[in-house]
Amino acid sequence: MTVELVTLDNGLRIVTDRIDTVDTVSLGLWVEVGTRHEPAEINGVAHFLEHMAFKGTERRSARDIAEEIEAVGGHLNAYTSRESTAYYAKVLKEDAPLALDILADILQHSAFDPAELERERTVILQEIGQANDTPDDIIFDHFQECAFPEQAMGRPVLGSPEIIRRLSRDAVTEYLYGNYAAERMVLSASGNIEHARLVDLADRLLSGVPRERPVTGEPARYAGGERREARDLEQLHLVLGFPGVTLGDPDYYAAAVLSTAFGGGMSSRLFQKVREERGLVYSIHSFAHSYRDGGLFGIYAGTGEEEAAELLPVLCDETMRLADGLEPVELARAKAQMKAGLLMSLESTSARCEQQAQHLLIHGTPFDPADLVRRIEAVDDAAIARVVKSWQAAPPTMVALGPLGRLEEFGRLRARLGV
């Protein structure tokens, strides 16, 4: 693995991770702007902008963009998160210049054709409707909003139908020109790519991106609480969670190891205790989400209406048991799972491309797998204990969607958790 990093005069960082043994290249532009940087009245604009980037430029129609990349067997995609937006491609090595040309074109010269905008508005409304019709998907938006109420960190990435229906073309273009800047962007490439050649191409195609634009955003303020939505469903979908660690927290890897041991696979405590031994759920897992200035640790479970009364006390009991720490075999197994997952991901150019981009955005340095392995190995009982103890600093968050009749009240839940 050969990693090289350079910064253009306008502040754009370019990182390449060269792998001579493959015939493909994954490359993309990551922008440190996302949902949390939106004003409340245009929530969803970052995601809307991501959609519009593929709907035509000054020299390419939407169809041209699709046909050009697929004519060489490649593909383009994008996503919006709460803290960043990404536009990326995967192509054969000889087609990397075409992929970068298209990415540079859609980010700098999108036409924002009014007719295309109206069509995409309808598509996004359908996407929101689909999410709302998927309870094990939308419940995580409810959880985020309940944990971070009435603030940018808690608002949904897709926005609301009411806002999307009235979002104007000017709002979308102003968001682009007001927030996208080279100093907040990373061009990352992994695969059979020549660093110097990519830098030359990027200097020609992206040197016109403005160096800096002030981006504002309110800090994340975890509050916790509950939200219940009765729906006529076969299953109750439930998420129970607590404040988590930030991306820069020394215990970031401890939280990830804990989540893996607690609910990260079929050998995890939750899977064994809740599904295998008691048969209370079909699906259950834990997760640790971290942001620059906040985080969440949570448990998702899907259960039947009759089993709901027993499920929540069991989840609370298992959560409280974590105060006693992990068994040595659990800690070792979780570390092995994480290390294997990390090392297996190195076989994917797409994963390596994203890892380099995200690490640069968050930490300002290239991604080093060996360093991450060392950090995972360094997680000990004391670090696990600190993560669990931090949950006591604020109320829990509990959201439920489906048949609610047998779900106990929130005060009782808090008492079980000792908060």
Side-chain angles (χ1 to χ4, degrees):
M1 185 170 90
T2 303
V3 177
E4 295 183 77
L5 172 66
V6 72
T7 303
L8 297 184
D9 290 342
N10 65 349
L12 175 69
R13 287 163 290 178
I14 304 171
V15 60
T16 58
D17 180 359
R18 183 163 180 167
I19 312 169
D20 290 331
T21 55
V22 300
D23 292 317
T24 62
V25 174
S26 295
L27 74 164
L29 285 155
W30 273 257
V31 190
E32 194 183 354
V33 175
T35 303
R36 70 174 305 178
H37 305 104
E38 301 168 343
E41 62 272 15
I42 55 171
N43 172 221
V45 69
H47 176 253
F48 206 131
L49 171 59
E50 172 224 310
H51 273 240
M52 288 305 300
F54 296 93
K55 297 307 168 184
T57 69
E58 295 169 5
R59 60 190 177 95
R60 289 182 171 100
S61 67
R63 183 167 183 168
D64 290 338
I65 293 170
E67 289 183 345
E68 282 189 43
I69 197 70
E70 292 184 1
V72 297
H75 65 259
L76 287 169
N77 213 335
Y79 67 81
T80 305
S81 71
R82 287 183 167 83
E83 296 194 307
S84 64
T85 308
Y87 306 83
Y88 55 93
K90 185 168 186 176
V91 291
L92 296 177
K93 60 185 179 182
E94 59 267 24
D95 299 314
L98 170 65
L100 183 57
D101 183 73
I102 293 174
L103 290 171
D105 193 22
I106 66 176
L107 279 186
Q108 296 177 97
H109 308 296
S110 284
F112 299 101
D113 177 79
E116 289 284 1
L117 189 140
E118 291 307 316
R119 278 192 289 270
E120 209 57 29
R121 187 194 310 278
T122 301
V123 169
I124 294 171
L125 288 170
Q126 292 171 349
E127 185 178 2
I128 294 172
Q130 185 180 55
N132 286 329
D133 286 345
T134 312
D136 57 347
D137 181 3
I138 198 63
I139 196 169
F140 289 97
D141 275 354
H142 295 343
F143 177 69
Q144 189 84 19
E145 183 180 10
C146 193
F148 298 104
E150 299 180 358
Q151 55 186 292
M153 186 57 81
R155 291 194 282 268
V157 171
L158 300 183
S160 68
E162 296 76 20
I163 293 176
I164 297 303
R165 287 190 185 100
R166 67 171 184 263
L167 200 62
S168 68
R169 180 182 184 275
D170 287 346
V172 179
T173 58
E174 287 170 8
Y175 185 81
L176 167 64
Y177 299 129
N179 291 278
Y180 278 36
E183 286 190 337
R184 304 183 68 86
M185 297 171 66
V186 168
L187 169 59
S188 178
S190 178
N192 202 327
I193 187 79
E194 293 181 18
H195 178 76
R197 187 182 182 199
L198 184 69
V199 171
D200 287 343
L201 282 168
D203 195 29
R204 176 165 56 85
L205 295 171
L206 293 163
S207 61
V209 177
R211 169 178 285 275
E212 184 178 4
R213 285 172 172 142
V215 175
T216 59
E218 59 183 316
R221 305 178 307 280
Y222 176 90
E226 69 165 336
R227 172 173 174 171
R228 301 175 186 229
E229 182 180 333
R231 283 200 195 179
D232 184 16
L233 301 172
E234 289 294 323
Q235 279 215 315
L236 172 72
H237 299 267
L238 183 143
V239 179
L240 172 65
F242 312 90
V245 300
T246 67
L247 288 166
D249 193 294
D251 288 328
Y252 170 83
Y253 294 96
V257 169
L258 175 59
S259 179
T260 301
F262 192 41
M266 290 189 295
S267 64
S268 67
R269 279 195 189 184
L270 288 176
F271 193 93
Q272 288 297 316
K273 295 289 186 180
V274 182
R275 173 174 162 153
E276 297 296 276
E277 293 183 15
R278 294 177 178 260
L280 293 176
V281 300
Y282 171 72
S283 178
I284 188 166
H285 69 267
S286 63
F287 56 89
H289 294 166
S290 293
Y291 310 107
R292 286 190 173 274
D293 57 353
L296 293 168
F297 190 102
I299 305 160
Y300 164 81
T303 190
E305 183 175 6
E306 294 301 315
E307 291 78 15
E310 187 180 352
L311 174 64
L312 205 50
V314 172
L315 293 183
C316 292
D317 289 346
E318 291 302 320
T319 299
M320 295 298 288
R321 282 186 59 223
L322 290 175
D324 298 327
L326 298 174
E327 296 293 332
V329 66
E330 291 180 297
L331 184 59
R333 186 168 56 235
K335 288 181 179 181
Q337 285 179 262
M338 288 190 62
K339 288 186 294 183
L342 169 64
L343 296 176
M344 288 177 184
S345 74
L346 297 181
E347 298 178 2
S348 163
T349 60
S350 298
R352 289 168 70 148
C353 175
E354 178 163 19
Q355 287 163 342
Q356 290 292 352
Q358 292 286 7
H359 207 269
L360 268 172
L361 284 181
I362 295 164
H363 301 290
T365 58
F367 168 76
D368 180 1
D371 179 59
L372 265 62
V373 168
R374 286 192 293 269
R375 291 175 184 271
I376 293 168
E377 285 284 12
V379 173
D380 56 16
D381 293 338
I384 297 294
R386 286 193 299 271
V387 174
V388 175
K389 187 177 180 180
S390 71
W391 298 344
Q392 301 170 354
T397 301
M398 193 277 287
V399 296
L401 180 63
L404 305 174
R406 303 199 63 187
L407 196 63
E408 69 181 25
E409 54 96 21
F410 190 59
R412 179 60 178 152
L413 168 69
R414 292 189 61 169
R416 289 184 185 279
L417 294 169
V419 291

